[in-house]
Amino acid sequence: MSEQKIDGGKRTWIIASGCAGAVGAGFVAVPFISSFQPSERARAAGAPVEVDISGIKPGEKLTVEWRGKPVWVLKRTPEMLDLLTKHDAVLTDPESREDQQPDYIKGPTRSIKPEVLVAVGVCTHLGCSPTLKKEIGAASDMGAEWPGGYYCPCHNSRFDLSARVFKGSPAPKNLVIPPHRYANDTVVVIGEDTKGA
């Protein structure tokens, strides 16, 4: 067995060089690994949107953007809700049997909370954005029988206050209800359903 003298200076230099190399490799790897993640733009395009609805008064509508589309949040009054069950005969799909909403959206309100409608504001005919015509009857300039709703001026499609299409409209289906959930009493999360997916 031979005895060798250990050079402490050389050992320190080797350890320091190895550590510096590892740190350098880490800096090089981070941009490479992060390039596999979706871009900020891609994340924003599909990311859920949180909406504070505490400031919306009954009868008012707020519009937000989700996945590049307008999404309406309408706080309906008791009078608006009362009218929803009185015009089924003039609707194309009053029970929303066509798959235009998540499974947990049921009934004439097409909403989780009856007073809050969350709907994608894009007409199912050619993709225009309808406008809210919440006044009823002659006051609306939509005719004496108008129960309030949305009107698409591009081709005269009409939807009620639950975004259900009226018969005779060019639009073939009700407006889309996006997946959504409530984070609390005043915040709705659009783009995430009740399971958090």
Side-chain angles (χ1 to χ4, degrees):
M1 191 175 246
S2 65
E3 287 187 26
Q4 283 186 313
K5 190 174 180 183
I6 297 174
D7 185 348
K10 194 183 265 187
R11 175 187 277 177
T12 303
W13 186 84
I14 291 172
I15 291 171
S17 296
C19 289
V23 169
F27 279 118
V28 169
V30 167
F32 178 72
I33 291 169
S34 66
S35 71
F36 289 111
Q37 296 177 357
S39 68
E40 283 296 322
R41 189 175 190 183
R43 274 185 284 209
V49 176
E50 288 190 3
V51 183
D52 182 357
I53 61 171
S54 62
I56 307 174
K57 295 176 183 164
E60 289 183 346
K61 177 189 77 160
L62 175 70
T63 303
V64 296
E65 186 177 338
W66 174 68
R67 292 190 176 178
K69 296 177 183 173
V71 175
W72 301 324
V73 181
L74 172 68
K75 193 170 275 188
R76 296 179 284 207
T77 64
E79 295 77 22
M80 290 173 164
L81 290 170
D82 186 50
L83 289 170
L84 292 179
T85 57
K86 298 184 176 174
H87 54 267
D88 285 5
V90 295
L91 297 174
T92 301
D93 184 12
E95 295 178 14
S96 301
R97 294 183 192 271
E98 194 74 36
D99 187 20
Q100 291 291 95
Q101 61 277 320
D103 291 337
Y104 50 87
I105 301 296
K106 302 288 183 197
T109 63
R110 298 183 79 211
S111 61
I112 296 171
K113 293 184 177 187
E115 70 278 10
V116 180
L117 171 70
V118 178
V120 176
V122 176
C123 183
T124 55
H125 179 227
L126 291 177
C128 301
S129 188
T131 57
L132 178 61
K133 295 272 195 174
K134 63 183 178 181
E135 297 81 11
I136 62 171
S140 68
D141 77 2
M142 296 291 292
E145 302 299 316
W146 180 248
Y150 294 93
Y151 173 68
C152 187
C154 299
H155 301 95
N156 297 317
S157 289
R158 296 169 297 132
F159 304 87
D160 75 351
L161 291 169
S162 281
R164 298 175 296 178
V165 67
F166 283 92
K167 289 179 181 176
S169 292
K173 298 179 181 181
N174 296 339
L175 297 180
V176 172
I177 303 296
H180 62 282
R181 67 177 179 84
Y182 285 86
N184 56 49
D185 287 342
T186 61
V187 175
V188 63
V189 182
I190 299 167
E192 226 175 57
D193 66 18
T194 53
K195 297 172 186 167

